[in-house]
Coordinates of all heavy atoms in Angstrom, one line a residue:
A61 N 3.4 -9.4 -61.6 CA 2.8 -9.8 -60.4 C 1.8 -8.8 -59.9 O 1.0 -9.1 -58.9 CB 3.9 -10.0 -59.3
G62 N 1.8 -7.6 -60.5 CA 0.9 -6.5 -60.1 C 1.3 -5.9 -58.8 O 0.5 -5.4 -58.1
V63 N 2.6 -5.9 -58.6 CA 3.1 -5.3 -57.3 C 4.2 -4.2 -57.8 O 4.7 -4.2 -58.8 CB 3.8 -6.3 -56.4 CG1 2.8 -7.3 -55.9 CG2 5.1 -6.9 -57.0
A64 N 4.4 -3.3 -56.9 CA 5.4 -2.2 -57.1 C 6.8 -2.8 -57.1 O 7.1 -3.8 -56.5 CB 5.3 -1.1 -56.0
R65 N 7.6 -2.2 -57.9 CA 9.0 -2.6 -58.1 C 9.7 -2.6 -56.6 O 10.5 -3.5 -56.4 CB 9.8 -1.6 -59.0 CG 11.2 -2.0 -59.3 CD 11.8 -1.1 -60.3 NE 11.8 0.4 -59.9 CZ 12.6 0.9 -59.0 NH1 13.6 0.2 -58.5 NH2 12.5 2.2 -58.8
T66 N 9.4 -1.7 -55.8 CA 9.9 -1.6 -54.5 C 9.5 -2.9 -53.6 O 10.2 -3.4 -52.8 CB 9.5 -0.3 -53.7 OG1 8.1 -0.2 -53.7 CG2 10.2 0.9 -54.4
T67 N 8.3 -3.3 -53.9 CA 7.8 -4.5 -53.1 C 8.6 -5.7 -53.5 O 9.1 -6.5 -52.6 CB 6.3 -4.8 -53.5 OG1 5.6 -3.7 -53.2 CG2 5.8 -6.1 -52.8
I68 N 8.9 -6.0 -54.7 CA 9.7 -7.1 -55.1 C 11.2 -7.0 -54.5 O 11.8 -7.9 -54.1 CB 9.7 -7.4 -56.7 CG1 10.2 -8.8 -56.9 CG2 10.6 -6.3 -57.4 CD1 9.9 -9.2 -58.4
H69 N 11.7 -5.8 -54.6 CA 13.0 -5.6 -54.0 C 13.1 -5.7 -52.5 O 14.1 -6.0 -51.9 CB 13.6 -4.2 -54.5 CG 14.0 -4.3 -55.9 ND1 15.1 -4.9 -56.4 CD2 13.5 -3.7 -57.0 CE1 15.2 -4.8 -57.6 NE2 14.2 -4.0 -58.1
R70 N 11.9 -5.3 -51.8 CA 11.9 -5.5 -50.4 C 11.8 -7.0 -50.0 O 12.4 -7.4 -49.0 CB 10.6 -4.7 -49.9 CG 10.6 -4.7 -48.4 CD 9.5 -3.7 -47.9 NE 8.2 -3.9 -48.5 CZ 7.6 -3.0 -49.3 NH1 8.2 -1.9 -49.5 NH2 6.4 -3.2 -49.8
R71 N 11.2 -7.8 -50.8 CA 11.0 -9.2 -50.5 C 12.2 -10.0 -50.9 O 12.5 -11.1 -50.3 CB 9.8 -9.8 -51.2 CG 8.5 -9.1 -50.9 CD 7.9 -9.5 -49.6 NE 6.6 -8.9 -49.4 CZ 6.4 -8.1 -48.3 NH1 7.3 -7.9 -47.4 NH2 5.3 -7.5 -48.2
F72 N 12.9 -9.6 -52.0 CA 14.1 -10.4 -52.5 C 15.3 -9.4 -52.7 O 15.1 -8.4 -53.4 CB 13.7 -11.0 -53.8 CG 12.5 -11.9 -53.7 CD1 11.3 -11.5 -54.0 CD2 12.6 -13.2 -53.1 CE1 10.1 -12.3 -53.9 CE2 11.5 -14.0 -53.0 CZ 10.3 -13.6 -53.3
A73 N 16.4 -9.7 -52.1 CA 17.5 -8.9 -52.1 C 18.1 -8.6 -53.5 O 18.5 -7.6 -53.9 CB 18.7 -9.5 -51.3
N74 N 17.9 -9.7 -54.4 CA 18.4 -9.6 -55.7 C 17.7 -10.7 -56.6 O 16.9 -11.4 -56.0 CB 19.9 -9.7 -55.8 CG 20.4 -11.0 -55.2 OD1 19.9 -12.0 -55.3 ND2 21.5 -10.8 -54.4
R75 N 18.0 -10.7 -57.9 CA 17.3 -11.6 -58.8 C 17.7 -13.1 -58.4 O 16.9 -14.0 -58.4 CB 17.8 -11.3 -60.2 CG 17.1 -12.1 -61.3 CD 17.5 -11.6 -62.6 NE 16.7 -12.2 -63.7 CZ 16.8 -13.4 -64.1 NH1 17.7 -14.3 -63.6 NH2 16.0 -13.9 -65.1
Q76 N 19.0 -13.3 -58.0 CA 19.4 -14.7 -57.6 C 18.5 -15.1 -56.4 O 18.1 -16.3 -56.3 CB 20.9 -14.7 -57.3 CG 21.4 -16.1 -57.0 CD 21.2 -17.1 -58.1 OE1 21.2 -16.7 -59.2 NE2 20.9 -18.3 -57.8
A77 N 18.3 -14.3 -55.4 CA 17.5 -14.6 -54.2 C 16.1 -15.0 -54.6 O 15.5 -16.0 -54.1 CB 17.4 -13.5 -53.2
L78 N 15.5 -14.3 -55.6 CA 14.1 -14.6 -56.1 C 14.2 -16.0 -56.8 O 13.3 -16.8 -56.5 CB 13.7 -13.5 -57.1 CG 12.4 -13.9 -57.9 CD1 11.3 -14.0 -56.9 CD2 12.2 -12.7 -58.9
V79 N 15.2 -16.2 -57.7 CA 15.2 -17.5 -58.4 C 15.4 -18.7 -57.4 O 14.8 -19.7 -57.5 CB 16.4 -17.5 -59.4 CG1 16.6 -18.9 -60.0 CG2 16.0 -16.5 -60.5
E80 N 16.3 -18.5 -56.4 CA 16.4 -19.6 -55.4 C 15.2 -19.8 -54.6 O 14.8 -21.0 -54.3 CB 17.6 -19.1 -54.4 CG 19.0 -19.3 -55.1 CD 20.1 -18.7 -54.2 OE1 19.8 -18.3 -53.1 OE2 21.2 -18.6 -54.7
T81 N 14.4 -18.7 -54.2 CA 13.2 -18.9 -53.5 C 12.1 -19.5 -54.4 O 11.4 -20.4 -54.0 CB 12.6 -17.5 -53.1 OG1 13.6 -16.9 -52.2 CG2 11.3 -17.7 -52.3
L82 N 12.1 -19.2 -55.7 CA 11.2 -19.9 -56.7 C 11.6 -21.4 -56.8 O 10.6 -22.2 -56.7 CB 11.4 -19.2 -58.0 CG 10.6 -19.7 -59.2 CD1 9.1 -19.6 -58.9 CD2 11.0 -19.0 -60.5
A83 N 12.8 -21.7 -56.9 CA 13.2 -23.1 -57.0 C 12.8 -23.9 -55.7 O 12.3 -25.0 -55.8 CB 14.7 -23.2 -57.3
A84 N 13.0 -23.3 -54.5 CA 12.7 -24.0 -53.3 C 11.2 -24.1 -53.1 O 10.7 -25.2 -52.7 CB 13.3 -23.2 -52.2
S85 N 10.5 -23.0 -53.5 CA 9.0 -23.1 -53.4 C 8.5 -24.2 -54.2 O 7.6 -25.0 -53.8 CB 8.4 -21.8 -53.8 OG 7.0 -21.9 -53.7
A86 N 8.9 -24.4 -55.5 CA 8.5 -25.4 -56.4 C 8.9 -26.8 -55.9 O 8.1 -27.7 -56.0 CB 9.0 -25.1 -57.8
A87 N 10.1 -26.9 -55.4 CA 10.5 -28.2 -54.8 C 9.7 -28.6 -53.6 O 9.4 -29.7 -53.5 CB 12.0 -28.2 -54.5
R88 N 9.3 -27.6 -52.8 CA 8.5 -27.9 -51.7 C 7.1 -28.5 -52.1 O 6.5 -29.4 -51.6 CB 8.3 -26.7 -50.8 CG 9.5 -26.5 -49.8 CD 9.2 -25.4 -48.8 NE 8.8 -24.1 -49.3 CZ 9.6 -23.2 -49.6 NH1 10.9 -23.4 -49.4 NH2 9.2 -22.0 -50.1
Q89 N 6.6 -27.8 -53.1 CA 5.3 -28.3 -53.7 C 5.4 -29.7 -54.3 O 4.5 -30.5 -54.2 CB 4.8 -27.3 -54.7 CG 4.4 -26.0 -54.1 CD 3.9 -25.0 -55.1 OE1 2.9 -25.3 -55.8 NE2 4.5 -23.8 -55.2
L90 N 6.5 -29.9 -54.9 CA 6.8 -31.3 -55.5 C 6.8 -32.3 -54.4 O 6.3 -33.4 -54.4 CB 8.0 -31.2 -56.4 CG 8.3 -32.5 -57.3 CD1 7.2 -32.7 -58.3 CD2 9.6 -32.3 -57.9
A91 N 7.6 -32.0 -53.3 CA 7.7 -32.9 -52.2 C 6.4 -33.2 -51.5 O 6.0 -34.3 -51.1 CB 8.7 -32.4 -51.1
Q92 N 5.5 -32.1 -51.5 CA 4.2 -32.3 -50.9 C 3.4 -33.1 -51.8 O 2.6 -34.0 -51.4 CB 3.5 -30.9 -50.7 CG 2.2 -31.0 -50.0 CD 2.4 -31.6 -48.5 OE1 3.1 -31.2 -47.7 NE2 1.6 -32.7 -48.3
A93 N 3.5 -33.0 -53.1 CA 2.8 -33.9 -54.1 C 3.1 -35.3 -53.9 O 2.3 -36.2 -53.9 CB 3.1 -33.4 -55.5
V94 N 4.4 -35.6 -53.6 CA 4.8 -37.0 -53.4 C 4.2 -37.5 -52.1 O 3.7 -38.6 -52.0 CB 6.4 -37.1 -53.3 CG1 6.9 -38.4 -52.9 CG2 7.0 -36.7 -54.7
E95 N 4.3 -36.6 -51.0 CA 3.8 -37.0 -49.7 C 2.3 -37.3 -49.8 O 1.8 -38.2 -49.1 CB 4.1 -35.9 -48.7 CG 3.7 -36.2 -47.3 CD 4.4 -37.5 -46.7 OE1 5.5 -37.8 -47.1 OE2 3.7 -38.2 -46.0
D96 N 1.5 -36.4 -50.5 CA 0.1 -36.6 -50.7 C -0.2 -37.9 -51.3 O -1.4 -38.4 -51.2 CB -0.5 -35.4 -51.4 CG -0.5 -34.1 -50.6 OD1 -0.2 -34.2 -49.4 OD2 -0.7 -33.0 -51.3
G97 N 0.7 -38.5 -52.1 CA 0.4 -39.8 -52.7 C 0.5 -41.0 -51.7 O 0.4 -42.1 -52.2
R98 N 0.9 -40.7 -50.5 CA 1.1 -41.7 -49.4 C 2.0 -42.8 -49.8 O 1.8 -44.0 -49.9 CB -0.3 -42.3 -49.1 CG -1.3 -41.3 -48.5 CD -2.6 -41.8 -48.1 NE -2.6 -43.2 -47.7 CZ -3.5 -44.1 -48.1 NH1 -4.4 -43.8 -48.9 NH2 -3.5 -45.3 -47.6
P99 N 3.3 -42.4 -50.1 CA 4.3 -43.3 -50.6 C 4.6 -44.5 -49.6 O 5.1 -45.5 -50.1 CB 5.5 -42.5 -50.9 CG 5.4 -41.3 -50.0 CD 3.9 -41.1 -49.9
D100 N 4.4 -44.3 -48.3 CA 4.8 -45.3 -47.4 C 3.7 -46.2 -46.9 O 3.9 -47.3 -46.4 CB 5.4 -44.6 -46.1 CG 6.6 -43.7 -46.4 OD1 7.4 -44.1 -47.3 OD2 6.7 -42.6 -45.9

Side-chain angles (χ1 to χ4, degrees):
V63 300
R65 186 176 54 83
T66 55
T67 301
I68 199 167
H69 287 287
R70 187 171 46 247
R71 302 280 182 239
F72 303 99
N74 54 44
R75 190 175 188 284
Q76 185 60 33
L78 171 61
V79 168
E80 287 172 5
T81 302
L82 178 63
S85 175
R88 282 192 299 274
Q89 290 179 57
L90 192 62
Q92 187 61 54
V94 171
E95 185 60 33
D96 289 348
R98 298 181 30 229
D100 302 322

